[in-house]
């Protein structure tokens, strides 16, 4: 095999880093054994092209059909805009933090009180750390994932998962790209907005947000960026999981199989979206270990080199795909690697089995997806306009990005729902967790088990209790673990107005600004949302009503509205009018109702649903 001096030099650099780290650990006192003297390039550099990849050894992976991928959910749903969690030099800061957390841990687990004390954050924020980590953990059997809401603070997090979670708070997200087809964008996104006349009065934060007009990077771009981040920070990450032993150089830090499994928080092997086997089973040094015998720890440098080779290989592959898409025609079948263009594929639904189901560019239409289409999947709804979208299924994760003037009904989301960069959108969802970021004039009808998180630059948001049902709703909620007896819709938690994980520069003095919170919908303005019954025969579920109990004020308002409606109908029926006059009144009401259907755009939904 031909060796490349430049690539060999880079591999030597990473090995030398670990060697220097090992030597320095032997000189430190026991309480500081994890302190590293090495700091990788930090996050603003993460926007630059990845460094040249090392030339891999033959067969770095015993399974040639299995490719390493970053766990996207950790980067997409696991970042919190809390300044005290964002370390500019994570390895230098986290080594002593890890030691303090270890001292406070019980059975290697850290509760919210210890997190608040060590990180110097509030109890609410410590609880939020645990809830966020629990929503993105790679192991479904972890006690934090299975904990009841009242147990979360005491159950706590595994120290190693917590350290990895804190480390990636330094991650910088990829900048949005401007869409290449401006005509298609103009067709989906009206140029006029209630806010457009006031851009000159916007703050710099708002102006930056307005100019980055809702076009999220492709999934392939995101994957390449995340792989590049892991490649640059891999030595640091492994050093935080490794344990020192007697020895010299590369042999003085080792990684046990148990510690190695925690890297599953950041990476996985196998097709994205499929069931993934334990991470150790993909390695040449832990695979096929005797379950009755503890596996022998492996030198950290060996783990580092093997992972680096796999990441370099995967990065090269995904970079080639991105380059091919930029230089050639779009491949519509490769839905997991790049978003389809709005103009090329309106009303697009990507039925990929390898990743999230992608629903993109639905415009002036209605769309219905049921459990048979989506069960147990993750969903992304992107750049949809003036539509009604029903996703009546049990889901793991859901993201709504860049939509406007649209109603989106989500069945039951068991992990996390994120709504970002939307305008005048109504979201109706039963979910364990909801995050709202950079939205304007949106209304959220929520049945949510954790406090709704509001971050970024938001304007005129409203929240209300859950307002609908369909026959399989309770079954779907039970399947993904959403509790109908807990609804914290009216307890939003507002964090920073500036996202420290974006790569934009922000004006001085705004880093500590708090996001605008959400107001509650006036009970007199609250109405139920009726979902048409698409189920028949044996497929009919057992849910007959809203499973979330309405607060007293909203229940009383509904009863008043129902009473007023019944009185109006009775008055019309009992009015002393001749039959021809009654027909005229009835006809006039139908005309006004039809005018309203056309003026509101709801007539289109009736036609769409009739077609379904």
């Amino acid at each position: 095999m031909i060796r490349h001096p430049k690539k060999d030099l880079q591999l030597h650099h990473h090995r030398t880093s670990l060697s220097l780290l090992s030597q320095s650990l032997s000189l430190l006192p026991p309480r500081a054994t994890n302190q590293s003297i090495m700091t990788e390039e930090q996050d603003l550099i993460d926007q630059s092209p990845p460094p040249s990849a090392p030339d891999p050894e033959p067969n770095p992976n015993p399974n040639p059909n299995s490719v390493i991928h970053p766990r996207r959910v950790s980067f997409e749903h696991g970042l919190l805009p809390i300044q005290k969690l964002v370390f500019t030099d994570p390895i230098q800061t986290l080594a002593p933090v890890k030691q303090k957390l270890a001292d406070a841990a019980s059975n290697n687990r850290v509760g919210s009180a210890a997190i608040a004390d060590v990180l110097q954050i509030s109890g609410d924020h410590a609880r939020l750390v645990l809830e966020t980590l629990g929503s993105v953990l790679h192991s479904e059997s972890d006690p934090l994932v299975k904990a009841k809401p009242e147990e979360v603070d005491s159950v706590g997090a595994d120290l190693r998962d917590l350290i990895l979670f804190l480390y990636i708070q330094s991650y910088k997200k990829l900048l949005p790209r401007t869409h290449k087809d401006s005509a298609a964008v103009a067709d989906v996104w009206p140029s006029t907005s209630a806010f457009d006349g006031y851009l000159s009065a916007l703050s710099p934060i708002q102006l930056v947000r307005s100019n980055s007009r809702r076009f999220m990077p492709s999934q392939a771009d995101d994957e390449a960026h995340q792989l590049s981040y892991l490649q640059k920070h891999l030595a640091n990450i492994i050093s935080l999981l490794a344990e020192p032993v007697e020895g010299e150089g590369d042999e003085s830090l080792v990684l046990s199989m148990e510690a190695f499994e925690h890297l599953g928080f950041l990476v996985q092997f196998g097709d994205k979206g499929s069931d993934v086997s334990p991470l150790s089973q993909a390695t040449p040094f832990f695979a096929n270990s005797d379950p009755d015998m503890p596996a022998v720890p492996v030198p950290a440098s060996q783990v580092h080199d093997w992972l680096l080779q796999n990441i370099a290989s995967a990065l090269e592959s995904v970079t080639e795909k991105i380059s091919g898409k930029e230089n050639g025609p779009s491949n519509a079948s490769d839905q997991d690697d790049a978003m389809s263009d709005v103009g090329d594929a309106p009303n697009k639904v990507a039925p990929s089995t390898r990743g999230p189901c992608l629903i993109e560019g639905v415009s002036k239409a209605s769309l219905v997806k049921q459990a048979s289409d989506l069960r147990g999947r993750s969903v992304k709804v992107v750049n949809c306009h003036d539509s009604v979208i029903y996703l009546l299924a049990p889901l793991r994760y859901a993201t709504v990005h860049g939509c406007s003037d649209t109603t989106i009904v989500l069945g039951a989301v068991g992990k996390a729902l994120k709504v970002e960069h939307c305008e005048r959108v109504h979201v109706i969802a039963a979910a364990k967790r909801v995050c709202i970021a950079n939205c304007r004039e949106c209304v959220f009808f929520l049945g949510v088990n954790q406090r709704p998180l509001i971050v970024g630059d938001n304007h005129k948001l409203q929240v209300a209790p859950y307002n609908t049902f369909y026959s399989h709703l309770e079954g779907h909620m039970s399947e993904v673990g959403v509790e109908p007896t807990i609804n914290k819709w009216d307890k939003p938690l507002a964090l920073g107005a500036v996202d420290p994980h974006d790569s934009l520069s922000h004006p001085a003095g705004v880093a500590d600004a708090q996001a605008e919170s959400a107001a509650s919908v006036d009970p007199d303005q609250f109405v139920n949302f009726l979902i048409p019954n698409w189920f028949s025969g044996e497929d009919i579920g057992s849910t007959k009503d809203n499973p979330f109990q309405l607060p007293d004020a909203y229940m009383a308002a509904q009863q008043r509205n129902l009473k007023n409606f019944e009185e109006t109908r009775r008055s019309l029926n009992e009015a002393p009018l001749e039959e021809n006059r009654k027909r005229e009144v009835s006809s006039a009401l139908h005309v006004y109702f039809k005018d309203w259907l056309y003026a509101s755009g709801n007539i289109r939904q009736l036609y769409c649903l009739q077609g379904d």
Side-chain angles (χ1 to χ4, degrees):
M1 181 174 59
I2 300 174
R3 307 295 298 185
H4 298 278
K6 182 177 179 181
K7 296 181 178 180
D8 286 344
L9 182 62
Q10 187 194 358
L11 183 56
H12 174 72
H13 162 73
H14 286 280
R15 286 175 171 167
T16 302
S17 296
L18 277 170
S19 178
L20 289 173
L21 176 62
S22 302
Q23 295 173 24
S24 66
L25 285 169
S26 64
L27 301 175
L28 294 175
R31 286 177 60 84
T33 52
N34 286 325
Q35 179 70 52
S36 171
I37 64 170
M38 186 260 313
T39 302
E40 292 286 338
E41 300 93 338
Q42 292 304 310
D43 302 291
L44 290 179
I45 301 178
D46 289 340
Q47 293 291 332
S48 62
S52 300
D55 196 19
E57 299 290 339
N59 298 323
N61 195 322
N63 181 0
N65 296 320
S66 187
V67 179
I68 197 169
H69 301 285
R71 279 191 76 244
R72 292 178 185 162
V73 296
S74 295
F75 296 98
E76 293 176 0
H77 297 277
L79 303 179
L80 289 174
I82 300 175
Q83 289 293 335
K84 288 186 177 180
L85 301 184
V86 181
F87 306 112
T88 55
D89 189 355
I91 186 64
Q92 293 286 349
T93 308
L94 282 178
V97 165
K98 177 186 175 184
Q99 186 63 53
K100 292 179 181 178
L101 290 171
D103 291 342
S106 174
N107 296 323
N108 213 39
R109 300 194 72 85
V110 187
S112 63
I115 293 172
D117 180 55
V118 173
L119 298 178
Q120 295 297 293
I121 58 177
S122 68
D124 284 345
H125 286 181
R127 168 86 181 200
L128 181 61
V129 166
L130 289 176
E131 290 176 340
T132 305
L133 175 56
S135 72
V136 295
L137 273 178
H138 56 296
S139 173
E140 291 295 323
S141 62
D142 189 275
L144 182 58
V145 176
K146 301 168 71 174
K148 296 178 180 179
E150 64 273 14
E151 300 172 340
V152 168
D153 292 311
S154 58
V155 166
D158 186 284
L159 175 61
R160 292 158 294 194
D161 292 330
L162 179 59
I163 289 298
L164 294 181
F165 173 82
L166 293 175
Y167 193 101
I168 66 168
Q169 300 306 310
S170 68
Y171 176 75
K172 298 285 187 180
K173 291 181 286 191
L174 198 59
L175 285 171
R177 299 189 304 177
T178 302
H179 203 282
K180 66 183 182 182
D181 189 346
S182 58
V185 171
D187 180 61
V188 173
W189 287 101
S191 59
T192 58
S193 164
F195 288 83
D196 289 344
Y198 302 95
L199 283 180
S200 60
L202 293 179
S203 70
I205 307 174
Q206 295 164 337
L207 191 58
V208 166
R209 199 279 313 273
S210 299
N211 290 336
S212 63
R213 194 72 174 178
R214 304 177 192 82
F215 295 108
M216 63 193 308
S218 74
Q219 296 187 52
D221 288 335
D222 263 339
E223 178 156 336
H225 185 59
Q226 290 158 12
L227 285 170
S228 178
Y229 173 85
L230 292 170
Q231 185 182 55
K232 291 179 180 181
H233 292 266
L234 186 61
N236 286 342
I237 290 168
I238 289 177
S239 74
L240 288 168
L241 295 178
E243 296 295 334
V245 294
E246 292 184 4
E248 296 182 358
D250 290 353
E251 303 300 321
S252 65
L253 277 179
V254 298
L255 207 66
S256 67
M257 186 171 77
E258 182 185 4
F260 180 80
E261 287 289 4
H262 288 275
L263 287 171
F265 178 72
L266 298 175
V267 296
Q268 66 184 39
F269 283 87
D271 286 341
K272 295 160 280 186
S274 63
D275 292 331
V276 179
S277 60
L279 190 63
S280 59
Q281 296 307 303
T283 70
F285 30 83
F286 290 130
N288 302 318
S289 297
D290 187 343
D292 298 324
M293 295 283 290
V296 177
V298 176
S301 58
Q302 182 180 347
V303 176
H304 170 268
D305 291 351
W306 180 81
L307 280 173
L308 197 64
Q309 291 162 8
N310 278 274
I311 290 173
S313 177
L315 190 53
E316 181 179 359
S317 176
V318 73
T319 302
E320 287 177 356
K321 290 180 180 179
I322 294 171
S323 177
K325 285 186 174 296
E326 290 177 349
N327 298 326
S330 175
N331 180 2
S333 65
D334 191 8
Q335 300 294 347
D336 192 58
D337 293 319
M339 299 289 188
S340 57
D341 293 335
V342 174
D344 295 339
N347 305 342
K348 188 87 173 194
V349 178
S352 169
T353 60
R354 296 190 300 147
C357 176
L358 180 62
I359 297 170
E360 183 179 27
V362 179
S363 180
K364 299 182 179 180
S366 293
L367 176 71
V368 180
K369 288 291 175 181
Q370 299 184 23
S372 57
D373 306 304
L374 302 171
R375 181 179 298 276
R377 298 279 303 282
S378 296
V379 170
K380 289 188 175 182
V381 181
V382 181
N383 296 340
C384 295
H385 171 67
D386 197 10
S387 298
V388 180
I389 298 172
Y390 300 86
L391 305 177
L392 309 181
L395 305 168
R396 287 174 57 78
Y397 298 93
T399 299
V400 179
H401 179 100
C403 298
S404 70
D405 301 291
T406 294
T407 295
I408 300 168
V409 184
L410 294 154
V413 184
K415 292 292 187 180
L417 162 64
K418 187 172 186 178
V419 183
E420 56 187 0
H421 300 290
C422 291
E423 295 182 3
R424 300 176 301 280
V425 163
H426 285 201
V427 175
I428 304 172
K432 181 169 288 186
R433 171 184 179 80
V434 175
C435 178
I436 303 164
N438 303 308
C439 293
R440 354 168 148 174
E441 299 184 45
C442 296
V443 186
F444 299 87
F445 298 88
L446 301 176
V448 59
N449 293 165
Q450 299 174 11
R451 296 178 66 181
L453 190 61
I454 299 180
V455 302
D457 182 25
N458 300 283
H459 297 278
K460 298 183 179 180
L461 302 184
Q462 291 182 284
V463 290
Y466 194 71
N467 67 339
T468 193
F469 71 94
Y470 59 96
S471 64
H472 289 284
L473 176 59
E474 288 172 301
H476 291 168
M477 289 170 57
S478 176
E479 184 174 332
V480 299
V482 177
E483 294 287 342
T485 57
I486 302 172
N487 192 358
K488 298 189 177 182
W489 68 272
D490 57 343
K491 297 178 176 61
L493 178 59
L495 294 183
V498 172
D499 186 355
H501 305 107
D502 68 32
S503 300
L504 303 171
S505 59
H506 298 290
V510 301
D512 296 326
Q514 185 169 314
E516 179 182 313
S517 191
S520 296
V521 169
D522 188 315
D524 288 327
Q525 302 298 318
F526 178 82
V527 293
N528 285 327
F529 184 88
L530 180 62
I531 297 176
N533 184 14
W534 287 289
F535 307 97
S536 60
E538 297 179 357
D539 196 36
I540 296 177
S542 60
T543 303
K544 306 296 183 184
D545 202 353
N546 185 345
F548 295 94
Q549 184 174 352
L550 284 178
D552 291 342
Y554 290 85
M555 181 65 76
Q558 278 205 332
Q559 291 172 347
R560 285 196 305 271
N561 291 337
L562 180 61
K563 181 180 178 181
N564 291 338
F565 171 75
E566 292 294 343
E567 288 179 351
T568 301
R569 184 169 65 174
R570 185 172 61 252
S571 297
L572 288 173
N573 289 334
E574 295 176 355
L577 298 174
E578 297 178 358
E579 285 302 317
N580 61 330
R581 297 292 292 170
K582 285 186 177 181
R583 285 194 294 270
E584 289 176 5
V585 171
S586 177
S587 178
L589 289 173
H590 280 90
V591 169
Y592 282 121
F593 180 65
K594 188 175 180 180
D595 289 345
W596 173 81
L597 284 175
Y598 280 99
S600 64
N602 286 318
I603 189 68
R604 184 175 60 248
Q605 185 183 175
L606 291 180
Y607 285 132
C608 290
L609 296 178
Q610 187 178 25
D612 292 338

